[in-house]
């Protein structure tokens, strides 16, 4: 059994209020969870207007599949949303 987790810090470009930010982050979390069946949650920077941190965790019987899934998740987040990932930490 393999477990991989990352914390992504990112800037949200179209966020002018906490309501805008929460809408974007909730949409991102719901979409990624439903599509990839990973554990994902906002884990920091909740009071910042245009910065957020999300944690992503994946468990798999194959390390390769877990890493490929994580790579696909990060790629989709960067491509689909008006955000800029500026830090990825392994925990």
């Amino acid at each position: 059994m393999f477990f991989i987790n990352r914390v992504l810090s990112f800037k949200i470009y179209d966020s002018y209020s906490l309501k805008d930010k929460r809408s974007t982050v909730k949409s991102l979390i719901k979409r990624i969870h439903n599509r990839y069946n990973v554990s994902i949650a906002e884990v920091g920077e909740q009071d910042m207007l245009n910065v957020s941190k999300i944690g992503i965790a994946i468990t798999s019987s194959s390390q390769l599949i877990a890493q490929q899934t994580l790579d696909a998740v990060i790629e989709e987040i960067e491509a689909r949303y008006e955000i800029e990932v500026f830090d990825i930490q392994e925990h």
Side-chain angles (χ1 to χ4, degrees):
M1 189 68 70
F2 295 94
F3 176 75
I4 298 177
N5 66 336
R6 300 288 187 273
V7 175
L8 277 65
S9 298
F10 56 92
K11 181 175 180 169
I12 305 168
Y13 289 118
D14 292 335
S15 178
Y16 304 104
S17 68
L18 286 176
K19 186 176 180 180
D20 291 341
K21 175 193 172 182
R22 288 188 183 116
S23 174
T24 300
V25 172
K26 281 185 174 188
S27 170
L28 182 151
I29 287 171
K30 184 176 181 180
R31 179 178 202 80
I32 296 300
H33 174 72
N34 288 341
R35 181 158 183 171
Y36 294 97
N37 195 25
V38 297
S39 296
I40 182 170
E42 187 173 16
V43 296
E45 311 294 355
Q46 282 96 345
D47 294 332
M48 300 285 290
L49 289 181
N50 60 356
V51 176
S52 185
K53 279 187 178 184
I54 58 170
I56 304 167
I58 300 168
T59 303
S60 176
S61 59
S62 165
Q63 185 174 7
L64 179 62
I65 291 173
Q67 187 61 51
Q68 288 174 339
T69 302
L70 181 64
D71 292 344
V73 166
I74 293 170
E75 186 176 310
E76 180 167 335
I77 288 172
E78 291 177 325
R80 186 160 192 87
Y81 294 91
E82 293 294 319
I83 66 169
E84 176 187 346
V85 176
F86 60 84
D87 188 33
I88 301 174
Q89 297 176 348
E90 183 176 338
H91 286 268

